[in-house]
């Protein structure tokens, strides 16, 4: 009998020992509320990041293990990339990632960026001017020689419709490449929530949560304010490029701004999360009588708009001086703050649109990103 008890005791100890060797999954979704493009799964000694939608019509997901530098790397598939945390040296390839680094007070970790003229933030521009942030050429074809010289622990990039071949080369050099698909989110808050991914990279999850919760609170407060509007003015957006009028699709995050600002975006019922490609006649037929034209490409004056296409003069918003642009607010080297800062400040963009469409709701507010075309 005693022998059987001993055998049972040893078996239980062996079972417990085997269970202890397994990684314990703690939190499946990491409290993501709006973002659909990524998931963070917390284990007891590392985190797994899954990028679900890294580029348009992606046929695969990308997985990364975020492993603290003091911990051992767990077993993983060859396709899974390892990122050691907290990150101390990073390369990002979109100016929209710069404010997230700054909000987490990690801008000093940025060691390289393609086309540094696109960086508008004065804080990070100082790092460019002192040589702490190196010029890396073009986002599509990073200068690998300089990249190796700055020796980043991670390159955060993006892809439009497929991964660039240069990413594979960078990975072969031993540098993990994380594809950021925030621009494919369907809501403004979904895009802003990607700061949680940055928080995980820097082991600053609490700080990232606090920042996002503030943004969410401000956005929802503005959204609630807009509900008081007594009417929904019609809105036209976009502009012509090479005979094609590009404007936000009805399921895009831009269309979501118009919806939350209590406006009637004339293409709200169209499908897609990106842009629509229409001819002038279709846009003119539907949008000629629009109350507002919000987001008229990068033009900074009505004269410039007419020089681009004389037909713009036929629209009511042109006649009634109700065209608004984000093209005037620029950094020292010409970079646009709307593209850099806008994604992480959606509450400010929403307030701008509310001020344009319903000025009585925000009598003392001055738009930050948008200004009237004169």
């Amino acid at each position: 009998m005693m022998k059987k008890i001993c055998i049972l005791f040893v078996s239980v100890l062996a079972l417990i020992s085997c269970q202890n060797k397994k990684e314990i999954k703690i939190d499946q979704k990491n409290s993501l509320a709006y973002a659909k493009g990524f998931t963070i799964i917390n284990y007891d000694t590392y985190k797994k990041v899954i990028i679900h939608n890294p580029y348009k019509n992606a046929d695969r997901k990308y997985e990364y293990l975020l492993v603290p530098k003091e911990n051992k790397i767990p077993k993983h598939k060859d396709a899974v990339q390892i990122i050691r945390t907290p990150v101390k040296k990073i390369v990002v390839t979109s100016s929209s990632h710069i404010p997230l680094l700054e909000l987490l007070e990690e801008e000093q970790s940025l060691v390289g960026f393609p086309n540094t003229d696109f960086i508008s933030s004065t804080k990070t521009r100082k790092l460019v001017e002192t040589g702490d942030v190196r010029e890396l050429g073009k986002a599509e074809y990073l200068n690998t020689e300089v990249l190796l010289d700055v020796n980043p622990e991670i390159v955060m990039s993006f892809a439009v419709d497929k991964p660039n071949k240069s990413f594979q080369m960078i990975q072969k050099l031993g540098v993990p490449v994380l594809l950021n698909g925030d621009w494919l989110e369907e809501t403004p808050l979904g895009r802003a929530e990607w700061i949680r991914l940055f928080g995980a990279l820097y082991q600053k999850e609490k700080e990232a949560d606090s920042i996002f919760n503030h943004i969410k609170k401000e956005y929802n407060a503005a959204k609630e304010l807009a509900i008081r509007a007594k009417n929904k003015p019609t809105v036209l957006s976009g502009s012509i490029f090479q005979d094609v009028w590009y404007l936000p699709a009805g399921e895009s995050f831009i269309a979501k701004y118009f919806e939350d600002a209590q406006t009637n975006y004339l293409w709200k019922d169209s499908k897609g999360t990106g842009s629509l490609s229409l001819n002038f006649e279709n846009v003119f037929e539907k949008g000629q009588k629009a109350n507002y034209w919000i987001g008229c490409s990068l033009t900074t004056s009505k004269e410039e708009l007419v020089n681009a296409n004389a037909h713009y003069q036929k629209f009511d918003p042109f006649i009634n001086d109700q065209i608004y642009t984000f093209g005037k607010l620029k950094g020292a080297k010409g970079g646009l703050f709307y593209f850099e800062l806008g994604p992480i400040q959606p509450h400010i963009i929403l307030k701008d649109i509310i001020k344009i469409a319903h000025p009585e709701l925000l009598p003392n507010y001055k738009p930050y990103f948008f200004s009237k075309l004169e």
Side-chain angles (χ1 to χ4, degrees):
M1 180 68 178
M2 183 60 68
K3 184 177 180 181
K4 290 182 178 179
I5 293 175
C6 289
I7 292 173
L8 178 61
F9 181 70
V10 171
S11 298
V12 171
L13 284 179
L15 179 61
I16 293 174
S17 176
C18 289
Q19 288 178 336
N20 286 339
K21 290 180 180 179
K22 294 180 179 179
E23 295 293 346
I24 301 173
K25 187 183 294 185
I26 301 173
D27 179 15
Q28 173 71 27
K29 294 185 179 179
N30 199 38
S31 303
L32 293 176
Y34 298 90
K36 297 180 180 180
F38 76 102
T39 298
I40 300 177
I41 304 173
N42 293 325
Y43 293 83
D44 55 352
T45 62
Y46 67 95
K47 300 176 186 292
K48 178 187 285 187
V49 172
I50 304 172
I51 306 297
H52 300 289
N53 195 23
Y55 48 87
K56 286 183 178 180
N57 303 315
D59 57 357
R60 58 161 292 192
K61 300 177 182 179
Y62 287 75
E63 295 187 2
Y64 306 84
L65 299 187
L66 277 50
V67 186
K69 293 175 180 177
E70 67 272 15
N71 292 349
K72 292 183 179 180
I73 297 174
K75 291 183 179 180
H76 59 280
K77 296 179 181 179
D78 292 340
V80 177
Q81 297 183 65
I82 305 298
I83 300 172
R84 288 296 203 168
T85 61
V87 170
K88 295 299 181 183
K89 298 175 71 176
I90 192 172
V91 164
V92 300
T93 61
S94 171
S95 64
S96 64
H97 302 155
I98 301 294
L100 282 73
L101 297 176
E102 293 184 352
L103 285 169
L104 292 171
E105 299 183 346
E106 293 291 347
E107 68 277 357
Q108 75 284 348
S109 69
L110 183 67
V111 294
F113 188 87
N115 200 335
T116 53
D117 284 351
F118 285 144
I119 298 176
S120 298
S121 165
T122 54
K123 183 184 286 188
T124 303
R125 281 229 59 83
K126 290 180 181 178
L127 297 175
V128 174
E129 291 162 5
T130 58
D132 293 300
V133 176
R134 299 278 299 278
E135 172 64 57
L136 293 176
K138 297 181 179 181
E140 299 84 1
Y141 303 100
L142 297 180
N143 186 320
T144 53
E145 184 177 343
V146 178
L147 184 73
L148 287 176
D149 191 41
V150 299
N151 192 29
E153 296 169 300
I154 173 180
V155 171
M156 180 175 286
S157 192
F158 64 91
V160 177
D161 52 9
K162 61 181 178 180
N164 193 287
K165 291 182 179 179
S166 64
F167 296 166
Q168 297 178 2
M169 183 184 301
I170 294 170
Q171 288 174 227
K172 288 180 180 179
L173 294 173
V175 182
V177 177
L178 194 156
L179 291 179
N180 186 315
D182 61 354
W183 62 283
L184 289 168
E185 291 289 343
E186 298 175 10
T187 64
L189 287 177
R191 191 172 188 185
E193 196 169 18
W194 280 71
I195 195 171
R196 295 189 191 272
L197 174 57
F198 283 77
L201 291 174
Y202 289 95
Q203 293 185 1
K204 288 188 172 182
E205 289 88 349
K206 289 183 179 179
E207 292 89 336
D209 289 349
S210 177
I211 292 166
F212 178 71
N213 287 334
H214 171 73
I215 294 168
K216 178 178 68 174
K217 180 180 178 181
E218 290 293 315
Y219 188 94
N220 287 332
K223 181 179 175 180
E224 288 296 316
L225 176 65
I227 294 176
R228 302 178 189 175
K230 297 179 180 179
N231 56 63
K232 287 188 176 183
T234 53
V235 172
L236 165 69
S237 190
S239 61
I240 296 174
F241 178 73
Q242 294 183 347
D243 297 326
V244 177
W245 194 305
Y246 295 96
L247 65 166
E251 297 169 318
S252 67
F253 67 88
I254 300 296
K256 184 62 175 174
Y257 277 125
F258 294 141
E259 177 187 345
D260 290 345
Q262 294 297 307
T263 68
N264 178 17
Y265 177 51
L266 294 172
W267 284 266
K268 63 183 179 182
D269 295 326
S270 61
K271 300 297 181 181
T273 58
S275 297
L276 300 176
S277 303
L278 304 176
N279 60 43
F280 175 83
E281 289 74 17
N282 287 339
V283 176
F284 184 73
E285 180 181 1
K286 197 168 191 175
Q288 180 189 9
K289 299 296 183 181
N291 298 120
Y292 298 99
W293 182 352
I294 302 176
C296 57
S297 73
L298 308 182
T299 50
T300 58
S301 69
K302 293 178 73 174
E303 180 182 3
E304 185 180 341
L305 198 65
V306 173
N307 289 337
N309 194 307
H311 293 302
Y312 288 143
Q313 299 176 88
K314 300 176 182 179
F315 287 86
D316 280 6
F318 187 98
I319 298 169
N320 299 326
D321 290 325
Q322 293 298 337
I323 305 178
Y324 295 84
T325 181
F326 52 74
K328 291 184 180 181
L329 188 63
K330 296 180 180 180
K333 296 290 185 176
L336 291 170
F337 277 99
Y338 178 82
F339 292 133
E340 180 174 314
L341 188 58
I344 196 60
Q345 301 289 359
H347 54 294
I348 297 179
I349 293 178
L350 181 58
K351 287 181 180 179
D352 282 8
I353 298 173
I354 293 172
K355 177 63 175 181
I356 293 168
H358 310 289
E360 72 283 357
L361 296 180
L362 291 168
N364 300 317
Y365 178 80
K366 182 179 179 180
Y368 180 78
F369 292 109
F370 285 95
S371 56
K372 182 179 288 190
L373 215 60
E374 303 292 347

